[in-house]
Amino acid sequence: MIKQTIAFLGAGSMAEAMISGMVESGNISADQIIVTNRSNQDRLNEINNKYGVRTILKDDLDFTEVDQFILAMKPKDIDAVLEDLRYKLEPNQVLVSVLAGISTSYMEDRLNDGQEVIRVMPNTSSMLRESATAMCPGQYTDMENVLVAKALLQSIGEVFIIPEDKMDVFTGIAGSGPAYFYYLMEHIEETGRAEGMDPKTLREIGAQTLLGAAKMMLEREETPAELRKNVTSPNGTTAAGLDALEQSGGGEAISAAIKGAAGRSKELSKEIEGLLVGSK
C-alpha cells in the first residue's frame, strides 16, 4: 500500500484515467489522492462524486502535505505552473509530468536546483488499465521516488523505465501503436464483411485473435519470428496469407509507420518547447 499523498494538477481525461486506475487497484487510498484545477469547481465535483478522492481549487491547496505532484494540465500552461511551483516545492517533493513534448531538462531548468522530476507517457489503453507507460527519471530523481511513481502507474498497466532519448521511438511504438491495431482491424472487418460475415461476430473474432496472439507472445520465450514460424505450415493457408502480406510491403509499411510517428514526436517536442520559450 502506497503511503504517499498524490496531487493531480489538472483534471482532464488522462488524469481521470489515472485516478480511476489508482482507486480501483487499491494500491493507494482515495483520501491520499488530491485533484485540483484552477477554477472549474463543477469538474472537481464530478471527479469527487465518481471516485471519492479529495478535490480542491489549486490556489487553496496545502502544498506541504503532498509528496508527488502529477502535472496533467495543458502543455501551454506549463511555464506558469513551473514558475509557481518553484517557490512552493520542497527538495523532497517530486514532479511527475504526463505532458507530451516537455522534457525533464526543460522542467529542471525552470525549477530550483536539484528538484526531482519524472516524465511519463501513458497511452490511451490506460482507460482500461492496460496502458504501456514509459517513464524517464530526471537527473536528480531518487530511485525510491521512481519506484513509488512506478507503483502508482502500474495501476493503469505496465510501466517501462527507459532513457529519455528513446521516448520518441516509444511514442512511435506504444503511443501510436493502438491506432496501428485499429487500422489492422478495419481491414480485417472490411474483408470479412465483403465475404458475408456478421459484423458483431467478426469484431469479436478479430479482437480475440489479436488478444490471444499478444498473450502468447508475452507468456512464451520464443521471438515473434519463431512464433510466426511455429504457426506457419509449408504451403498452408497461413503461408499463403503471409506471402500476400509480404508482397504488399506489409513489413516495410509497419517500419515506416513507427519511424514516421517517432520522427513526428521529435519534431513536436521541439515545436512545443520552442513555442513556450518564444512566448516569453
Side-chain angles (χ1 to χ4, degrees):
M1 188 78 170
I2 295 169
K3 300 301 183 182
Q4 293 193 358
T5 297
I6 310 300
F8 283 83
L9 304 184
S13 58
M14 181 56 72
E16 182 171 0
M18 296 172 71
I19 293 161
S20 173
M22 290 176 188
V23 171
E24 289 180 19
S25 73
N27 289 338
I28 184 170
S29 172
D31 63 9
Q32 292 170 248
I33 300 173
I34 304 170
V35 185
T36 76
N37 63 28
R38 287 184 298 180
S39 59
N40 191 343
Q41 187 65 58
D42 289 342
R43 175 60 173 163
L44 294 179
N45 291 341
E46 178 186 1
I47 293 289
N48 173 261
N49 291 335
K50 289 175 73 172
Y51 305 107
V53 298
R54 297 156 62 191
T55 57
I56 189 170
L57 293 176
K58 180 174 172 290
D59 288 344
D60 297 326
L61 175 65
D62 179 0
F63 278 71
T64 63
E65 70 169 314
V66 179
D67 299 293
Q68 295 203 14
F69 294 86
I70 298 180
L71 305 184
M73 78 293 295
K74 295 178 180 178
K76 68 179 180 63
D77 297 325
I78 184 66
D79 281 345
V81 171
L82 293 177
E83 179 68 17
D84 184 39
L85 292 175
R86 181 177 183 179
Y87 300 101
K88 294 180 177 178
L89 291 181
E90 298 295 329
N92 62 327
Q93 294 176 308
V94 184
L95 291 187
V96 180
S97 170
V98 300
L99 306 183
I102 305 297
S103 65
T104 57
S105 60
Y106 186 92
M107 292 184 284
E108 289 167 346
D109 288 347
R110 287 154 181 78
L111 295 167
N112 294 319
D113 290 344
Q115 192 71 55
E116 297 185 52
V117 302
I118 303 172
R119 178 184 177 186
V120 302
M121 179 177 287
N123 67 6
T124 56
S125 301
S126 60
M127 299 175 190
L128 301 176
R129 297 176 62 190
E130 293 290 349
S131 176
T133 299
M135 173 182 285
C136 307
Q139 61 179 317
Y140 308 114
T141 306
D142 184 80
M143 183 52 65
E144 182 177 347
N145 287 325
V146 172
L147 294 177
V148 171
K150 182 179 180 180
L152 283 169
L153 291 164
Q154 283 174 327
S155 303
I156 58 171
E158 295 296 329
V159 180
F160 306 91
I161 300 176
I162 65 172
E164 192 162 12
D165 63 2
K166 300 298 185 289
M167 182 64 90
D168 294 314
V169 71
F170 176 88
T171 299
I173 296 169
S176 303
Y180 307 153
F181 285 98
Y182 300 147
Y183 187 73
L184 174 61
M185 275 299 299
E186 282 183 64
H187 289 276
I188 289 173
E189 291 189 355
E190 181 180 319
T191 304
R193 287 195 300 270
E195 295 296 325
M197 291 191 69
D198 172 65
K200 183 177 183 299
T201 303
L202 188 57
R203 171 70 55 88
E204 293 172 354
I205 291 171
Q208 183 58 46
T209 300
L210 294 177
L211 281 171
K215 186 174 182 181
M216 184 173 289
M217 190 164 55
L218 289 172
E219 294 182 356
R220 301 287 184 89
E221 294 184 357
E222 296 101 316
T223 66
E226 289 169 337
L227 289 170
R228 173 175 55 79
K229 291 175 182 176
N230 290 343
V231 299
T232 306
S233 301
N235 299 316
T237 57
T238 304
L242 287 172
D243 285 343
L245 190 61
E246 290 177 2
Q247 290 171 16
S248 300
E252 291 81 358
I254 293 169
S255 294
I258 293 171
K259 291 176 182 177
R264 184 57 180 148
S265 173
K266 187 175 294 187
E267 292 172 356
L268 286 172
S269 294
K270 291 180 180 178
E271 289 175 11
I272 290 169
E273 291 191 355
L275 285 171
L276 289 170
V277 171
S279 65
K280 290 201 161 195

